[in-house]
């Protein structure tokens, strides 16, 4: 007899122990078949009342993945890793919003945008 069951028998009058034993036997069979965990209450006459029903730990199954892994190519982006460089790279590729040509056409301007100091020697 386990300590959990012994507590139930200690609460019930000894005359009603066979009745309690029959009910506990039926409840344990039900738990094994349905894979449920039951929270029960016992009266002093051996009557069992089911207070709450829950899933048994053996019934747990890991949920299926709904999103792809982080290494999946679907998560990749066109954005550069350094977002501070993004406006500069955009202006280098497509020209300024003012319609000016890309900086490759102006060597002085491309040095200034790329962060290099002009050659003053």
């Amino acid at each position: 007899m386990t300590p959990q069951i012994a507590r139930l028998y200690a609460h019930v009058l000894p005359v009603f122990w066979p009745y309690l034993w029959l009910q506990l036997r039926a409840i344990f069979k039900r738990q094994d078949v349905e894979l449920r965990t039951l929270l029960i209450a016992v009266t002093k006459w051996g009557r069992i009342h089911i207070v709450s029903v829950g899933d048994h730990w053996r019934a747990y199954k890991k949920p299926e993945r709904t999103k792809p892994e982080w290494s999946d190519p679907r998560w990749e982006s066109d954005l550069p890793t350094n977002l501070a460089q993004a406006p500069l790279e955009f202006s280098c590729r497509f020209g300024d919003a003012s319609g000016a040509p890309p900086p490759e056409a102006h060597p002085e301007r491309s040095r200034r945008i790329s962060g290099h100091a002009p050659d003053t020697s």
Side-chain angles (χ1 to χ4, degrees), residues 24-101:
L24 287 174
R25 186 173 164 209
I27 282 184
F28 292 149
K29 283 185 181 179
R30 177 181 172 184
Q31 282 181 325
D32 289 340
V33 170
E34 295 179 4
L35 288 179
R36 296 282 189 190
T37 301
L38 302 175
L39 178 63
I40 59 174
V42 179
T43 65
K44 65 180 178 178
W45 297 285
R47 176 84 175 152
I48 293 180
H49 300 282
I50 297 174
V51 177
S52 179
V53 179
D55 291 332
H56 196 275
W57 62 271
R58 291 183 295 181
Y60 174 76
K61 294 177 185 162
K62 188 175 181 181
E64 292 185 22
R65 179 178 291 276
T66 57
K67 293 183 178 179
E69 301 258 348
W70 286 112
S71 60
D72 195 308
R74 285 185 260 178
W75 292 111
E76 292 181 6
S77 172
D78 286 352
L79 291 175
T81 54
N82 182 0
L83 289 179
Q85 290 293 106
L88 297 177
E89 289 180 15
F90 182 78
S91 66
C92 291
R93 269 192 258 159
F94 303 109
D96 287 342
S98 64

Side-chain angles (χ1 to χ4, degrees), residues 9 16-28 46 48:
Y9 280 98
F16 298 106
W17 283 1
Y19 182 60
L20 176 64
W21 178 81
L22 286 173
Q23 289 193 49
L24 287 174
R25 186 173 164 209
I27 282 184
F28 292 149
I48 293 180

